Amino acid sequence: VLDSQYGMYVWPCAVVLAQYLWAHRRSLPGKRVLELGAGVSLPGVVAARCGAQVILSDSEELPQCLQSCRSSCLMNRLPHVPVLGLTWGRVSPELLSLAPIDIILGSDVFFDPKDFEDILTTIYFLLEKNPHAQFWTTYQVRSADWSVEALLYKWKLKSIHVPLHSFGADKEHLASSSLPGRHTIEMMIISLAQLDGT
C-alpha cells in the first residue's frame, strides 16, 4: 500500500529522467534548473552533480517530501541546494521570487488527472517568466484515457516526444536500477508554443 505522500519513493520515471540528464550532462554546467514535485530528488541531484545550479521543490503542504529533498541533498554532498515549498496551481511568494530558470524538471508529476491543470498552470507561469526555458518530464502511461494534449493547447504550450532509445533508456534496467522494469514510460519536452508561431 502506497504512503499518501508519493514523494517518499524513487519512481521508475525518476530513473529515466535521471538517465536523460546524464546523457546531456555536458550541457548542464551553469544551467539553472528547478525540479517540481521532487520528492527524493533523483533527477535534481543528478543535475546538481553534473554542475547545474539546482533548486528542488515539492508541495508546501507535504513537509515530509520537503525533508526528503533535503536528506537527498545531504546524502549526496549537496548541502547548499535550496529546497522550496511550491504547490502546483498556486501563485506564492516563493514562486514569484524565483530566479531565472533554464530547465524545469518533473518526473511522474502527471500521476493524478485532477492535478494536470494545476501542474500546467505552474509550468505556463514559469515559462512565461522564462520564455526560452523548457520543461523536461517523464511520465508513466497508466491509462489510455489520460492525456494532457487538450490542456497543452489551452495553455498555449507545445510538446516534443523524446524517444527513450535516443538516450539509452529503452531498457528494463538503467544504471543498475531495475525500477524502469516493464513499465511504459514516455518523455516529452514542453515549451511555449508562441515562440515559433506554432
Side-chain angles (χ1 to χ4, degrees):
V1 177
L2 293 178
D3 189 284
S4 61
Q5 299 202 34
Y6 303 121
M8 305 305 288
Y9 301 90
V10 175
W11 293 92
C13 289
V15 177
V16 173
L17 187 54
Q19 175 78 9
Y20 186 79
L21 288 157
W22 182 249
H24 292 85
R25 62 191 174 276
R26 287 178 186 82
S27 69
L28 292 174
K31 288 282 196 281
R32 297 158 305 189
V33 175
L34 169 68
E35 184 175 5
L36 296 176
V40 294
S41 318
L42 178 62
V45 164
V46 169
R49 298 292 293 174
C50 290
Q53 300 169 20
V54 174
I55 298 171
L56 300 175
S57 73
D58 213 312
S59 173
E60 59 195 322
E61 299 163 4
L62 300 174
Q64 280 184 278
C65 291
L66 294 170
Q67 186 52 48
S68 180
C69 290
R70 291 183 192 98
S71 296
S72 290
C73 289
L74 291 175
M75 286 186 280
N76 286 282
R77 290 182 235 104
L78 298 165
H80 302 299
V81 170
V83 176
L84 297 179
L86 296 177
T87 300
W88 302 328
R90 184 178 301 160
V91 177
S92 64
E94 291 78 12
L95 184 66
L96 291 170
S97 64
L98 277 174
I101 296 166
D102 299 305
I103 301 166
I104 306 157
L105 301 175
S107 67
D108 219 2
V109 293
F110 295 112
F111 180 86
D112 189 337
K114 74 175 175 52
D115 295 326
F116 289 4
E117 185 142 32
D118 284 343
I119 294 162
L120 289 175
T121 301
T122 300
I123 295 301
Y124 180 79
F125 176 85
L126 291 166
L127 292 177
E128 274 280 291
K129 204 171 158 185
N130 304 276
H132 296 285
Q134 296 180 327
F135 177 42
W136 297 359
T137 185
T138 50
Y139 60 96
Q140 184 174 328
V141 179
R142 293 182 170 88
S143 169
D145 299 332
W146 293 6
S147 173
V148 296
E149 292 304 316
L151 289 172
L152 291 174
Y153 181 79
K154 175 181 175 179
W155 285 100
K156 299 180 177 68
L157 300 169
K158 65 176 181 177
S159 68
I160 298 168
H161 178 260
V162 180
L164 299 192
H165 69 82
S166 70
F167 58 101
D170 55 341
K171 303 169 179 63
E172 290 186 24
H173 289 73
L174 292 178
S176 301
S177 170
S178 60
L179 281 177
R182 296 178 182 262
H183 302 287
T184 302
I185 296 170
E186 300 286 343
M187 177 167 179
M188 63 181 164
I189 294 175
I190 295 174
S191 58
L192 289 178
Q194 69 261 32
L195 274 183
D196 60 4
T198 58

